[in-house]
Amino acid sequence: MPGLSIPGIGFAPTTPREWLSYLQSKLVRDRPTFRFYSDYYDGNHQRLAFAQARHINEFGHVFEKWRDNFCGLIIDSVNERMSIDGFRMTDEPDADKDARDIWQRNFMDAEANAGHLDAMVQGSAYAVVWAGEDGRPTITMESAEHLVVQYKPGSRRQLDAAAKFFSDDWGREWATLWLPDRIYTWQAGTFGWAEGAVSSEKNPLGEVPVVPLNNRSRLTSNPFSDLASVIPLQDATNKVVSDALLASEFAAWPQKYVTGLEVMEDAAGNPVEPFKVAVDKLLQAEDPQAKFGQFDAADLGNYVKLTDMLVQHMASTSRIPFHYFLNGGVVPSGESITAAEAGLIAKTRERMLHFGESWERVMRLCFKVLADKRAEAWGAEVIWRDPENRTEAQHMDALLKLKMIGVPMDQLLSDAGYTPQQIARFKQMREDEAKAEMELARKYPRPLQPQHDAAALDAKKAATKPPQGNSGNTARKLNPVKA
């Protein structure tokens, strides 16, 4: 973790202004790295990264708007499989309705998706929890390009401070500083943040209300982007493909040659091209010693093979199925596609594990705003939607087998992909159907079956027939006839 001392000063920040200056220095230091990864995700990455200066000067303008970007695919393949359906805050099997209301009121279905996206691209994103004007919890997502945090010495979870720096539509610069005891708001003046805070209020939560969404952070280093190991391969792919495009322009056309002809020159002594080669033109010469021929065109297949190799390395490094890159061949199906996507599913579940811890903390803070006992719900868990894509027939067959071993209906419906709200509606619908059937039974009772039915009479006769065979012998032994 970064130290608390300000560079060049050597002591920990104590006043709000010192905290603000220190956190701004951290943000200024890290912001270029965040934008670097964002550019690669957006496709605004470095072009001709491995080309020589002469090559860039000659052909840089040709590739000014050219892009061949796999970074977006690598991030989106995971992000599109992560969706939160609800929360369980207590030991109750049903999803917590209050938590879901808080989630929906803050538009978190979309905001959480954006938070996951930024966290995987830049390494971190942030959720800020506070009380709105009506006293209800509010959740806002913030980018790592605008918000920065400082952990307590020796801790990877507890925060000492956090600050957000942003500009409004009129170009004015603002900053919000969160400390465990107070919240400060600044507007930059002529001399930066030297002037006093615009406003200050007590922090009723007693902790910094900012929750980092860290992308698979390690124990001894900062969170890192999923693109960190992919970017060198992306640059190499761009280099090879750009070379192939240049070869297709200048070397793919078979070059012609002629020998035995006198070289013609213009008035200045410069050689004059004897022929204008085209598809609809023929080459001819009167000199019988003249010979015509052509060189072989450049083989672009070598570029294709090298690109395929780089894409294979990229798929292996990012754990994205190879068929996602549409590199030819047969797209797997059935059991084969399940095996092909096993690495992607495992990667997605790992991201769910890390992000889930942050979302549980966010929800506990929301209940702390409400002074609810669920603020201490350390057994809370996130209800994630199943990230695995399966055919409907396979999925239903698996659920029916689970039912046979005793899995409850609500759990089966959750595994089938239904949200907690839909499952709750199913319960009400089943209850309404049962009430309707009972009402119909009372209103239209079924008539009694006639007693003279032939089958019923035959059964009655068989039941009243005297015992025969061994049964009759047994009865005679029990009641012997006296002579």
Side-chain angles (χ1 to χ4, degrees):
M1 287 297 154
L4 282 178
S5 60
I6 300 178
I9 298 180
F11 58 84
T14 55
T15 65
R17 189 175 298 140
E18 289 177 354
W19 270 116
L20 196 67
S21 299
Y22 170 66
L23 292 174
Q24 187 180 29
S25 68
K26 285 186 62 177
L27 186 63
V28 171
R29 179 196 65 190
D30 296 335
R31 185 177 284 166
T33 302
F34 299 144
R35 290 180 175 172
F36 172 77
Y37 290 128
S38 294
D39 287 342
Y40 268 85
Y41 173 78
D42 294 331
N44 299 320
H45 46 71
Q46 185 179 8
R47 300 172 181 83
L48 303 177
F50 300 115
Q52 297 180 0
R54 180 180 177 183
H55 180 85
I56 295 176
N57 294 334
E58 189 71 24
F59 302 107
H61 66 283
V62 178
F63 300 100
E64 182 62 30
K65 296 183 179 180
W66 176 78
R67 300 176 183 179
D68 185 23
N69 185 35
F70 292 108
C71 294
L73 168 67
I74 291 171
I75 297 296
D76 293 340
S77 298
V78 178
N79 190 44
E80 67 188 11
R81 292 174 179 263
M82 291 193 298
S83 181
I84 296 177
D85 284 337
F87 295 84
R88 290 190 183 95
M89 301 302 297
T90 61
D91 294 334
E92 295 294 329
D94 294 335
D96 193 294
K97 186 177 182 301
D98 294 335
R100 186 64 189 179
D101 289 342
I102 295 172
W103 188 261
Q104 292 291 342
R105 191 182 304 116
N106 288 279
F107 312 102
M108 291 305 297
D109 283 339
E111 292 293 301
N113 180 272
H116 297 156
L117 178 62
D118 267 23
M120 286 189 290
V121 172
Q122 299 180 335
S124 293
Y126 300 94
V128 181
V129 179
W130 199 241
E133 296 180 357
D134 56 359
R136 295 179 176 180
T138 62
I139 308 173
T140 56
M141 299 304 302
E142 301 293 345
S143 168
E145 295 185 26
H146 300 138
L147 195 146
V148 59
V149 300
Q150 177 61 48
Y151 291 89
K152 291 185 177 181
S155 174
R156 295 187 299 112
R157 299 189 182 278
Q158 296 180 334
L159 298 181
D160 252 347
K164 176 185 176 182
F165 300 88
F166 62 98
S167 300
D168 59 21
D169 294 339
W170 292 269
R172 297 175 298 185
E173 295 184 5
W174 296 84
T176 301
L177 174 66
W178 292 277
L179 297 176
D181 55 344
R182 299 197 69 81
I183 310 296
Y184 299 90
T185 302
W186 261 276
Q187 180 182 354
T190 306
F191 303 99
W193 311 110
E195 302 175 6
V198 175
S199 64
S200 171
E201 58 181 307
K202 183 180 179 181
N203 183 357
L205 299 179
E207 61 179 300
V208 177
V210 177
V211 180
L213 271 71
N214 292 330
N215 181 52
R216 196 188 177 197
S217 57
R218 299 179 58 187
L219 297 178
T220 57
S221 61
N222 294 327
F224 56 90
S225 169
D226 275 354
L227 300 179
S229 59
V230 175
I231 286 176
L233 294 170
Q234 177 66 69
D235 288 339
T237 302
N238 291 338
K239 167 65 166 60
V240 174
V241 176
S242 64
D243 287 348
L245 293 176
L246 285 176
S248 68
E249 178 71 19
F250 296 102
W253 177 268
Q255 296 295 317
K256 307 242 182 341
Y257 67 86
V258 60
T259 61
L261 285 180
E262 182 181 356
V263 178
M264 304 298 294
E265 297 180 349
D266 59 14
N270 298 318
V272 177
E273 186 177 0
F275 301 102
K276 294 295 184 182
V277 181
V279 175
D280 58 345
K281 293 182 180 296
L282 295 176
L283 305 182
Q284 64 178 3
E286 296 179 355
D287 191 340
Q289 300 299 322
K291 295 181 180 180
F292 294 90
Q294 72 175 19
F295 297 104
D296 293 335
D299 183 10
L300 301 183
N302 295 326
Y303 295 103
V304 176
K305 293 178 182 179
L306 183 54
T307 303
D308 288 347
M309 184 199 71
L310 292 171
V311 171
Q312 288 178 1
H313 290 186
M314 196 179 301
S316 177
T317 301
S318 61
R319 304 185 73 184
I320 302 298
F322 191 56
H323 63 272
Y324 275 39
F325 294 89
L326 298 178
N327 197 49
V330 179
V331 177
S333 61
E335 293 296 331
S336 58
I337 197 171
T338 301
E341 295 184 351
L344 173 61
I345 299 302
K347 178 180 179 180
T348 304
R349 293 189 186 279
E350 185 182 35
R351 297 302 183 271
M352 289 178 175
L353 177 66
H354 289 273
F355 293 149
E357 293 291 338
S358 299
W359 290 124
E360 291 164 11
R361 184 180 172 192
V362 167
M363 201 51 60
R364 286 194 293 267
L365 274 175
C366 289
F367 283 111
K368 192 171 186 178
V369 171
L370 297 173
D372 190 289
K373 64 179 182 180
R374 281 168 286 187
E376 301 295 328
W378 301 106
E381 62 178 358
V382 180
I383 303 175
W384 293 94
R385 191 171 300 168
D386 188 0
E388 188 172 357
N389 292 331
R390 289 167 287 190
T391 64
E392 193 69 14
Q394 290 177 327
H395 200 184
M396 292 302 106
D397 182 63
L399 293 176
L400 289 174
K401 292 178 180 177
L402 290 175
K403 183 179 181 181
M404 294 173 62
I405 64 174
V407 177
M409 179 58 70
D410 286 355
Q411 182 62 49
L412 294 176
L413 291 172
S414 177
D415 293 341
Y418 294 103
T419 64
Q421 295 93 323
Q422 290 175 313
I423 296 174
R425 287 198 296 268
F426 290 161
K427 291 181 180 179
Q428 185 62 42
M429 292 165 66
R430 289 196 297 268
E431 185 176 347
D432 293 341
E433 287 178 355
K435 289 180 179 179
E437 290 180 0
M438 294 175 61
E439 183 66 26
L440 288 174
R442 286 194 298 266
K443 190 173 183 180
Y444 304 104
R446 294 182 179 179
L448 298 176
Q449 295 293 331
Q451 296 297 324
H452 58 275
D453 184 82
L457 290 175
D458 292 342
K460 186 176 182 181
K461 290 178 180 179
T464 57
K465 188 176 181 178
Q468 301 293 327
N470 292 334
S471 298
N473 294 335
T474 303
R476 284 190 290 274
K477 286 180 183 180
L478 294 175
N479 299 290
V481 180
K482 294 182 179 180

